[in-house]
Amino acid sequence: MASRKAGTRGKAAAAKQAQRGSSNVFSMFEQAQIQEFKEAFSCIDQNRDGIICKSDLRETYSQLGKVSVPEEELDAMLQEGKGPINFTVFLTLFGEKLNGTDPEEAILNAFRMFDPSGKGVVNKDEFKQLLLTQADKFSPAEVEQMFALTPMDLAGDVDYKSLCYIITHGDEKEE
């Protein structure tokens, strides 16, 4: 009985850890697309435990006619999830691939151009002006929505290091 409870706790911990994928990933897709991803996830999750594991991948490949998939290839696929791959993580992985999120370091370097003193913050008003007037211009409503989720320092400036983390990993508060 004790080993059964330990196994249940282990699965619960793995499932909780798998929820690290950002829940805002659902806003990146239409409902019909999410349903298609759910169907694909169900096809891959062969043992129906809600987590894609190596045996699930191996069985999926087998059903597709590829019987000898190198262990390294399967491991590399699972490593992309940086932990157990539940549906939210699965969707996040596809969202990153489809939407081309830049690596965190590239985003940080872009912000550093506006932070010559290296304090890790950019002036909120200057940043707002850039968002409203440059490149893919934000609407005033989009800027306000973004600032509602943007970490600020005590002076009201944008903490861009934290913002970069949110952009690339999701908002931890959402979990």
Side-chain angles (χ1 to χ4, degrees):
M1 184 71 163
S3 63
R4 178 185 275 168
K5 283 186 178 180
T8 304
R9 262 191 236 120
K11 282 185 180 179
K16 179 115 173 125
Q17 187 178 10
Q19 290 176 345
R20 290 181 194 262
S22 173
S23 61
N24 68 358
V25 71
F26 290 93
S27 65
M28 293 170 40
F29 299 104
E30 300 287 327
Q31 192 60 41
Q33 291 174 303
I34 292 172
Q35 188 57 41
E36 288 176 16
F37 282 118
K38 279 183 184 177
E39 290 172 19
F41 182 86
S42 305
C43 290
I44 298 169
D45 183 19
Q46 297 287 316
N47 62 9
R48 305 289 183 245
D49 67 351
I51 305 280
I52 293 175
C53 62
K54 193 184 295 191
S55 64
D56 292 330
L57 292 175
R58 189 177 288 109
E59 180 63 27
T60 301
Y61 270 114
S62 177
Q63 289 179 359
L64 295 172
K66 188 171 181 182
V67 212
S68 58
V69 181
E71 290 290 314
E72 300 79 32
E73 190 175 326
L74 298 173
D75 289 335
M77 288 179 181
L78 293 172
Q79 288 298 325
E80 287 189 46
K82 297 177 179 62
I85 301 176
N86 67 6
F87 180 67
T88 304
V89 173
F90 181 81
L91 197 59
T92 301
L93 290 170
F94 275 95
E96 289 171 355
K97 300 286 185 204
L98 295 173
N99 291 319
T101 303
D102 289 323
E104 189 170 356
E105 192 59 34
I107 299 169
L108 280 170
N109 287 335
F111 273 107
R112 286 183 185 122
M113 291 175 46
F114 303 103
D115 180 24
S117 62
K119 294 180 182 174
V121 296
V122 293
N123 180 279
K124 179 182 177 180
D125 296 328
E126 291 175 19
F127 187 47
K128 181 177 182 175
Q129 189 61 30
L130 286 170
L131 292 172
L132 291 169
T133 61
Q134 303 298 312
D136 292 334
K137 298 175 182 125
F138 278 46
S139 71
E142 289 171 324
V143 171
E144 292 311 312
Q145 182 182 18
M146 189 207 67
F147 280 144
L149 300 172
T150 301
M152 303 284 182
D153 71 356
L154 295 174
D157 292 325
V158 176
D159 174 355
Y160 66 82
K161 290 178 182 178
S162 296
L163 178 59
C164 287
Y165 184 86
I166 290 170
I167 291 169
T168 57
H169 297 91
D171 189 356
E172 294 294 323
K173 293 179 275 189
E174 292 179 358
E175 292 183 14

